[in-house]
Amino acid sequence: MTNSDIAAVFEQLADILEYKGDNAFRIRAYRGAARTISGLVESLVSIRNDPQRSLRNLDGIGADLASKIETLLDTGRLPLLDELTAEVPAVVWEMLRVPGLGPRKVKLLVETLAIDSLDALELACQEGRVAALKGFGEKTQQSILDNLPFARNPIHSRLLWLEADGILQELLVWIRSCPEARRVEGAGSWRRGCETVGDLDVVVESQRPAAVMEHLVAWQGTAAVLLQGDTKTSVRGPRNVQIDLRVVAEESFGAALQYFTGSQEHNVRLRTRARELGLSINEYGVYRLEPAAEAVPRSARGASLGGQTEEEVYRAVGLPWIPPELREGRDELVLAGQGLIPPLVKLDDIRGDLHMHTSATDGENTLVEMVRAALERGLKYIAITDHSQRVSMARGLDASRLLRQWEDIDTLNQSLCADGPAGIVVLKGIEVDMLEKGGLDLPDEVLRQADWVVASLHYGQQQPRDRITARILEAIANPWVRVIGHPTGRLINRRPPYDVDIEAVIAAAAGNGTCLEINANPSRLDLNEHHAAAAGKAGVRMVISTDAHDTSGLDLLRCGVLQARRAGLSAANIANTLPLAELLACKRG
DNA sequence: GCCGTTTTCGGCCCGACTGTTTTCAGTCG
């Protein structure tokens, strides 16, 4: 079993235990273990087999879960899961996708009304049998009917970060146009730069919350109002995304922004740290913990020790401000406490883009158009890396077409030089395919004439782990290959990564001085943050590239930079922050 | 089920909103 299989088992156990009404902290323990495991780069097998290490040293994994992991590794099954799965009818998982229905209510519906399908649930609502249940009522019954379509619609995946960003930017412009709104910021997983975003969070400072919330309701993108209170309003926006707006006073803005940025796990850890210091953090500020704090209403508590800015909140617990991209509840609080949060790479640090296509293959713009667009964006160098011949669908280049393109690039560079020193250098590159049977799609004799070679795997993605890994290791060892393109091949929400031993890839890249790509395309973001972090620790340089197929694709660099920041990487970890001469001196020598 | 420079037992972050409730449970983030 792979790490993700085992993480899935623990998630499933947590879901089942939640439905059964088990201890909430036990459930949290299973979810915490699943999170830890899905963030691992090394396989659980290798950790278990390493005499220097122990599964029990993993965050949130104790004696019991370690033994369950061993059982899963040995047998591929877990008796507890088989046992519990049999106790929960399948309809439960469908019903839990109805917004507003949680495990408690679903359990009551299943057990008292014998609901066994969404159709049966709909009928029970129409016949008024749901409203008659204890704890339910007319409004709950109607809300179930209204929300049933969301449970039935299988297209329920989270938005890509860039899609969420498009909606949020429009929304922020609208909210900022409200005269009653002062500071306005996006929060949540969008602000943390997550690969995908489930819903949009906006925090606003205002003296008149009601006016701001009415302004949101009046937005042209608002499709329905889900709930509206004194300080919080939720609406359904474009593409059915839920938008949560929270309005607070000036002295609480930082605390609210911190709270709504999350992640949940980061906040749990931050608040736990606060409690150890005799403090309590909520979305209004930081307070001293009184002996009977629970009984004291917020307004009657002592003065806030901070909350106007995020910096104040972190400072109150003895920490420097932590960049949102690192707030995932991993080791960021410990690092921050030791002053070891690295300066994260910024978009401005990136000097060049080293993976893009032109109309010579499957790009939409010509060489000259791509170069002009890169120049407009202030890039100092770019590599033109069209597909090689194996990618016939894209009219991949054979050696002779490639050499002709490189002649064009030579000519272009000469004319760019004549324009003066503020120009751009165009590198002669290729995205060469790693062939199914091994080897590369162009001979070394051609590759050695290139300035920049990206090697990528597009075919034979179903091959077994050792075959895929061997193909990539061979490319890494090739003296002319500078970087491995989208090293795992995944497409977010569409296609899983191919089965590759990423630990071996990282080790080989480190040994050969070959870079690994952080492909900035919002559907790829490949390497992912965990792999990129591990590569950075291993001393591998990464290249953040757009893989642009048209001029607007060059704007995607910022998505790759966000991914690198989430991996905790600095400019020093990223090869294309270097001046060109140093970049080209990187591999050989 | 995990965890421990006060602890191997007794804790485990915190609050808004809704609906169905005479004081709170469930859901959500």
Side-chain angles (χ1 to χ4, degrees), chain A residues 220-511:
Chain A
Q220 58 147 4
T222 297
V225 179
L226 300 173
L227 59 85
Q228 196 163 9
D230 295 336
T231 66
K232 175 182 171 179
T233 293
S234 297
V235 304
R236 206 182 299 292
R239 298 200 50 188
N240 278 332
V241 69
Q242 180 170 333
I243 297 166
D244 295 325
L245 172 73
R246 192 63 182 269
V247 190
V248 296
E250 180 180 13
E251 65 269 20
S252 295
F253 184 80
L257 183 60
Q258 192 286 319
Y259 170 62
F260 286 103
T261 296
S263 65
Q264 194 147 309
E265 187 58 27
H266 175 84
N267 285 351
V268 167
R269 293 185 183 212
L270 189 71
R271 291 169 178 208
T272 301
R273 181 184 173 97
R275 287 193 81 84
E276 288 163 0
L277 297 169
L279 302 171
S280 171
I281 298 177
N282 58 30
E283 57 260 58
Y284 297 101
V286 183
Y287 302 88
R288 198 162 300 290
L289 208 52
E290 304 298 339
E294 306 80 24
V296 182
R298 182 169 53 81
S299 55
R301 279 186 207 168
S304 167
L305 303 175
Q308 190 164 345
T309 65
E310 283 193 323
E311 284 81 356
E312 288 179 7
V313 175
Y314 286 100
R315 197 183 309 132
V317 292
L319 295 176
W321 180 83
I322 298 175
E325 295 91 336
L326 296 179
R327 300 183 195 171
E328 291 299 334
R330 297 195 273 258
D331 56 357
E332 69 271 13
L333 293 189
V334 176
L335 291 179
Q338 298 168 339
L340 295 178
I341 298 278
L344 302 181
V345 61
K346 304 184 302 294
L347 184 56
D348 282 352
D349 295 329
I350 305 294
R351 295 176 191 250
D353 190 342
L354 296 168
H355 186 169
M356 67 186 68
H357 298 267
T358 73
S359 50
T361 61
D362 60 348
E364 297 196 356
N365 292 98
T366 63
L367 169 63
V368 170
E369 287 166 343
M370 292 302 284
V371 172
R372 193 179 299 138
L375 198 54
E376 283 166 10
R377 286 161 176 78
L379 295 175
K380 298 297 178 203
Y381 50 83
I382 61 172
I384 299 297
T385 56
D386 271 312
H387 288 291
S388 61
Q389 55 199 353
R390 173 65 182 88
V391 189
S392 47
M393 250 172 45
R395 297 180 302 115
L397 302 177
D398 59 21
S400 69
R401 285 176 67 207
L402 178 60
L403 292 172
R404 279 206 297 280
Q405 185 187 54
W406 286 352
E407 285 172 18
D408 292 343
I409 292 177
D410 280 335
T411 309
L412 190 58
N413 272 325
Q414 282 164 14
S415 71
L416 286 166
C417 255
D419 287 350
I424 187 170
V425 176
V426 185
L427 300 178
K428 293 177 286 187
I430 182 73
E431 182 180 16
V432 64
D433 244 59
M434 306 175 197
L435 300 174
E436 291 100 310
K437 58 179 188 293
L440 298 174
D441 195 20
L442 287 165
D444 281 4
E445 178 51 31
V446 173
L447 297 180
R448 61 176 277 276
Q449 300 173 59
D451 299 315
W452 192 259
V453 176
V454 182
S456 299
L457 191 153
H458 293 107
Y459 295 96
Q461 296 194 20
Q462 302 302 320
Q463 288 178 351
R465 185 180 179 89
D466 55 345
R467 280 298 308 141
I468 298 253
T469 305
R471 287 164 71 188
I472 297 177
L473 294 188
E474 189 185 4
I476 287 174
N478 181 294
W480 314 113
V481 170
R482 297 279 191 162
V483 56
I484 303 301
H486 42 74
T488 75
R490 61 105 173 243
L491 292 175
I492 297 172
N493 286 346
R494 300 216 300 272
R495 185 175 77 198
Y498 32 72
D499 191 5
V500 55
D501 181 350
I502 195 75
E503 278 186 79
V505 167
I506 289 171

Side-chain angles (χ1 to χ4, degrees), chain A residues 523-542:
Chain A
S523 290
R524 288 194 181 271
L525 297 175
D526 181 8
L527 299 175
N528 73 25
E529 78 218 63
H530 305 296
H531 296 153
K537 285 200 180 77
V540 174
R541 274 233 176 80
M542 275 152 280

